Amino acid sequence: MSQKLICNCNGTMPLDSSKLGVKIHTALCRQELNSVVDAFNGDDSLIIACTQEGALFNELAAQSEKPLIAPLRFVNIREVAGWTQEALSSSPKIAALLALADMPEADPVPVINYESQGRTLIIGAGEQAIPWAEQLGDVLEVSVLCTEPSPLPLSRDFPIYSGSTKSIEGYLGNFTVQWELENPIDPEMCTRCGACVEVCPSGAINDSFQIDLDKCKSHRKCITACASIGAINFDRVERNRTAQFDLILDLRSKTHMRMSQTPQGYFAPGTDPLEQSFAANKLLSLVGEFEKPKYFAYNEKVCAHGRNGKVGCNACIEVCSTAAITSLFKNGQGTVEVNPNLCMGCGACSTVCPSGAMRYNYPSVSHQGKEIKTLANVFSQECAKENKSVSPALLIHTLKAGTNLIDALGRAAHLNPSRYEGLPSYLIPYGVEHIASTGMDLWLGALSYGFSEVYLLLSGEQDPAYQAALQTQAELCNAILAAYGFEARISLIHAAASDDIAPVSLAMGQLRQRGPLAAVCTPATFGLNNQKRETIEAVLGHLEKQAKTALPEAGAPLPASSLLGGLNINKDACTLCMSCVGSCPEGALLDNPDEPKLSFIEKQCVQCGICVTACPEHALSLMPRLLSVDQRKQRVNLNETKPFHCISCGKPFGTLKMVDLMLTKLGAHAAFSGPAMERLKMCSDCRVVDMMKNET
């Protein structure tokens, strides 16, 4: 256990020492600094309930004579509890947050490395790009691609190109840029001697050393003047240019990289000088070696992207805002490929993945499950000590932007409580790396641990595709809860930016006025699994046992976005060709080696739709629904028919229906008249024997 230092921030928080079980300080960052210094000399790790003065406490720790046994950990109780309208009843929440801070850190994940030597390409109109190159050139190895002519400096301190970009691909330390040289003068070769300017009778060349083709009268005297240099060529065939760079500063109003989240090392501040200054400062810090976490783990064995040449689930590709995920087919088997250098760690791919093939790993769902379970358990235990029966609600938010938003709301509620509402005492904030990384396994898992509700705080920086994905997943979760007789318990709170506290304050006021809801079920004891489907099955089983209403025998209908469901089959159209079995990536569809029978295990189905696409008779369709856990586990027969036996040897080699259909389709063709028609009724071995007999 850690030693906990709690401060009431100069008496502005009504903290109860007896309820929290620790001494309450008043001015840890000022008059009581000695208490912090004394704690540094102890034998326990330290948790300080103050985030505002973290820099001060870390500085003191660095100066301590005795090394700390573990880095300092900080937890904010002021803005989320002590400065709210319900501060007096927030002790259980504070205890839960302190317990969360005391938990072990997540296991480390692999890292992705970048190396940048500072090779920088500045793209834009010369009048803007060249001055920036002159300023940055002392630190960075700069080049300029002028998309609009501008006077060129006479000194050749850095390469200057001209033309229009065709493509920009890559990431920090590894950008490939292709552009097309559009002017007869190649500025890379031009010495800027001015000979062409002097001899041009049309005045088509100026100090930009580019030819104004609207003014040019094709005298070609410039070519003669530049003959020894060879920078001018009106008949240039090869106009494409390619080069490698570590960093890109794109000053154009319309940039080439149109994805909503551009790669690290690419900055597109547009034409605004202030934004350009911010971007230039960031460029200067991106020289050297860098690393970031590998946010994801991918298991292609259960991926439902494609099979047998058919494309099924594209969810991760469609939601990725960085274009880091691409389709990959090898020998007919479809998987996806993730470029970890382009991945920004949003985790939306794992949220929308129906099979769990794409898994967020920073941290894992199993680790988050332990943290959420601790929050719920400690909150409930502390409420029991006060003879209260209150179920907590969970507020999930992105760590940086969401924390800023919650802190801003807490300060506003403290200074102006009649206008702004802080977090209710039963609402516990839980920060994650990115809000888009959480999905139904974590949300429903939280409900199974005793949380009454889950709120997702969108703080404005999320890509629209992420917001849509979260909304879709929330609707699916609420549909599942409705199938069990529970009311909707997953909600989104939208803010336009990390300082847009008004809509959050409104939502908090509504929650405080309404009060806490009862938990949907008694707390579960199982842990959340890194395998998404296993976690969902465990949660469904737990909810089903305590459902208010029983599921219909045929299952409760779910939205089309559901990853749970079955299959409709048109038995009249199905020929039991088993194309669906061969295409199913999850083993949900099964054949029978001894007789023509098509079986289905609904638990395995992820509703990817590959079987629907693969069926040549269009006999299958998806059926999003929720069956009971026992029903989902059962192997059921979708269709069966009598086998067709070879008319020569008697061996079964197909289905009666399939052979009848084949005979009907081919019977009118001249090539299959007489003996040929009879061979269609034979197995492959007997056909060969019959053909050999007839030839002799």
Side-chain angles (χ1 to χ4, degrees):
M1 295 292 291
S2 300
Q3 181 180 353
K4 299 175 180 65
L5 298 177
I6 301 178
C7 179
N8 63 20
C9 200
N10 198 27
T12 58
M13 291 187 285
L15 303 180
D16 191 324
S17 176
S18 61
K19 290 181 179 180
L20 294 176
V22 293
K23 177 183 178 181
I24 304 299
H25 297 269
T26 300
L28 269 181
C29 62
R30 295 296 183 267
Q31 288 87 350
E32 296 178 271
L33 268 178
N34 286 337
S35 298
V36 179
V37 175
D38 291 342
F40 290 161
N41 295 321
D43 296 324
D44 297 319
S45 59
L46 293 178
I47 295 175
I48 301 179
C50 174
T51 53
Q52 175 178 291
E53 299 296 336
L56 170 63
F57 296 133
N58 276 321
E59 183 179 350
L60 287 175
Q63 298 172 0
S64 175
E65 295 181 2
K66 179 183 177 182
L68 300 183
I69 66 171
L72 288 177
R73 283 175 286 175
F74 302 95
V75 58
N76 180 24
I77 64 172
R78 189 177 69 179
E79 279 80 4
V80 303
W83 276 3
T84 69
Q85 285 85 348
E86 297 188 355
L88 290 172
S89 55
S90 290
S91 293
K93 180 203 289 191
I94 294 174
L97 292 173
L98 290 170
L100 176 64
D102 207 13
M103 292 190 67
E105 294 185 355
D107 293 335
V109 298
V111 296
I112 305 301
N113 296 307
Y114 297 90
E115 183 176 352
S116 168
Q117 299 174 10
R119 300 172 301 163
T120 305
L121 177 66
I122 304 176
I123 307 172
E127 61 183 7
Q128 285 192 318
I130 292 174
W132 275 117
E134 291 172 339
Q135 292 187 50
L136 298 173
D138 291 339
V139 179
L140 303 174
E141 183 184 331
V142 296
S143 300
V144 173
L145 175 57
C146 291
T147 55
E148 298 176 20
S150 179
L152 301 185
L154 294 180
S155 59
R156 293 172 57 90
D157 296 329
F158 45 82
I160 297 179
Y161 314 105
S162 71
S164 60
T165 56
K166 298 182 68 177
S167 68
I168 302 175
E169 297 177 347
Y171 44 84
L172 173 64
N174 188 27
F175 285 104
T176 300
V177 182
Q178 294 184 346
W179 69 93
E180 183 177 3
L181 178 62
E182 298 173 334
N183 201 273
I185 299 181
D186 186 347
E188 189 177 1
M189 298 179 63
C190 176
T191 62
R192 303 164 204 170
C193 65
C196 58
V197 178
E198 295 177 2
V199 301
C200 179
S202 306
I205 309 175
N206 56 24
D207 55 359
S208 68
F209 298 102
Q210 295 283 276
I211 298 175
D212 186 337
L213 297 177
D214 292 332
K215 294 181 179 180
C216 178
K217 304 302 181 183
S218 301
H219 295 95
R220 300 299 192 261
K221 290 185 177 181
C222 56
I223 296 179
T224 303
C226 191
S228 60
I229 305 300
I232 305 177
N233 185 349
F234 283 85
D235 301 316
R236 184 178 286 107
V237 176
E238 182 51 55
R239 297 174 178 270
N240 294 328
R241 302 288 186 271
T242 303
Q244 304 290 130
F245 300 95
D246 299 317
L247 302 163
I248 306 288
L249 179 61
D250 197 335
L251 306 179
R252 296 172 295 174
S253 56
K254 293 184 178 181
T255 62
H256 192 88
M257 303 192 90
R258 299 299 176 85
M259 68 276 286
S260 59
Q261 211 169 356
T262 53
Q264 295 190 41
Y266 177 89
F267 298 93
T271 58
D272 182 77
L274 181 60
E275 293 298 325
Q276 290 178 2
S277 297
F278 291 150
N281 284 332
K282 293 178 181 177
L283 285 171
L284 294 174
S285 65
L286 290 177
V287 179
E289 296 182 0
F290 307 92
E291 64 180 33
K292 70 173 182 182
K294 184 181 179 184
Y295 296 101
F296 66 93
Y298 174 61
N299 180 7
E300 68 174 78
K301 293 181 180 179
V302 296
C303 179
H305 175 58
R307 190 75 173 259
N308 290 359
K310 303 294 183 180
V311 177
C313 175
N314 270 325
C316 62
I317 298 175
E318 293 170 353
V319 80
C320 181
S321 67
T322 65
I325 309 177
T326 55
S327 174
L328 181 66
F329 270 80
K330 291 182 179 179
N331 301 320
Q333 304 306 302
T335 61
V336 297
E337 189 171 54
V338 186
N339 186 331
N341 295 97
L342 290 177
C343 174
M344 293 293 203
C346 69
C349 54
S350 64
T351 297
V352 300
C353 178
S355 67
M358 196 69 72
R359 177 165 57 86
Y360 195 69
N361 212 31
Y362 191 72
S364 64
V365 170
S366 61
H367 178 82
Q368 291 176 325
K370 294 174 184 177
E371 293 186 329
I372 289 175
K373 192 174 186 180
T374 296
L375 287 174
N377 288 344
V378 172
F379 183 92
S380 298
Q381 291 166 7
E382 294 300 314
C383 284
K385 292 178 182 178
E386 300 178 20
N387 295 318
K388 295 180 180 178
S389 179
V390 179
S391 297
L394 189 66
L395 178 65
I396 303 177
H397 62 88
T398 299
L399 270 174
K400 185 175 181 182
T403 298
N404 291 340
L405 181 55
I406 293 172
D407 287 355
L409 176 63
R411 288 189 289 271
H414 175 62
L415 297 174
N416 196 347
S418 62
R419 181 178 178 185
Y420 295 105
E421 293 275 358
L423 271 60
S425 60
Y426 63 88
L427 184 63
I428 303 177
Y430 179 69
V432 295
E433 183 71 13
H434 198 293
I435 188 68
S437 68
T438 67
M440 61 184 296
D441 48 347
L442 187 68
W443 308 338
L444 294 178
L447 296 181
S448 72
Y449 285 152
F451 280 98
S452 61
E453 300 172 274
V454 175
Y455 289 92
L456 308 174
L457 178 58
L458 303 183
S459 40
E461 82 284 359
Q462 294 85 12
D463 183 89
Y466 301 162
Q467 298 187 36
L470 291 172
Q471 184 67 51
T472 299
Q473 294 289 307
E475 290 171 357
L476 173 58
C477 286
N478 288 328
I480 292 173
L481 292 171
Y484 291 128
F486 304 118
E487 59 189 22
R489 296 298 180 97
I490 312 295
S491 304
L492 277 65
I493 300 175
H494 294 267
S498 59
D499 57 356
D500 182 25
I501 63 174
V504 187
S505 173
L506 177 63
M508 297 302 105
Q510 293 171 343
L511 291 180
R512 188 160 77 97
Q513 185 176 11
R514 185 208 65 189
L517 299 178
V520 299
C521 59
T522 58
T525 57
F526 57 77
L528 302 191
N529 196 298
N530 285 337
Q531 303 305 316
K532 182 175 185 175
R533 302 284 298 193
E534 292 186 16
T535 291
I536 291 174
E537 289 296 327
V539 170
L540 293 180
H542 186 70
L543 293 175
E544 184 180 306
K545 291 176 182 177
Q546 303 173 65
K548 293 184 176 180
T549 58
L551 294 173
E553 183 67 23
L558 293 177
S561 61
S562 176
L563 50 74
L564 306 171
L567 288 174
N568 283 312
I569 185 167
N570 183 343
K571 294 184 179 181
D572 293 333
C574 175
T575 63
L576 287 169
C577 68
M578 301 302 175
S579 295
C580 56
V581 174
S583 67
C584 180
E586 308 300 331
L589 287 161
L590 306 151
D591 63 359
N592 189 313
D594 299 321
E595 54 184 329
K597 183 182 294 185
L598 176 63
S599 303
F600 178 65
I601 302 176
E602 192 152 325
K603 177 185 175 183
Q604 302 297 112
C605 180
V606 299
Q607 298 284 286
C608 66
I610 297 180
C611 59
V612 176
T613 305
C615 179
E617 309 301 335
H618 308 291
L620 293 174
S621 61
L622 298 177
M623 184 169 49
R625 67 178 180 183
L626 181 63
L627 286 178
S628 70
V629 172
D630 286 339
Q631 284 178 301
R632 287 169 48 77
K633 294 178 181 179
Q634 300 302 315
R635 178 170 175 162
V636 298
N637 292 333
L638 291 183
N639 197 13
E640 59 183 315
T641 188
K642 295 180 180 180
F644 185 90
H645 297 271
C646 173
I647 61 174
S648 178
C649 69
K651 180 177 69 176
F653 71 93
T655 69
L656 179 61
K657 189 171 185 178
M658 184 187 301
V659 174
D660 285 344
L661 182 64
M662 178 177 62
L663 294 176
T664 301
K665 290 184 176 180
L666 299 178
H669 198 285
F672 294 96
S673 60
M677 178 61 72
E678 293 303 303
R679 291 193 192 108
L680 293 177
K681 302 175 185 178
M682 301 178 186
C683 66
S684 57
D685 293 336
C686 291
R687 287 177 197 167
V688 174
V689 172
D690 186 69
M691 290 177 66
M692 296 296 292
K693 286 181 179 180
N694 288 337
E695 286 182 3
T696 58

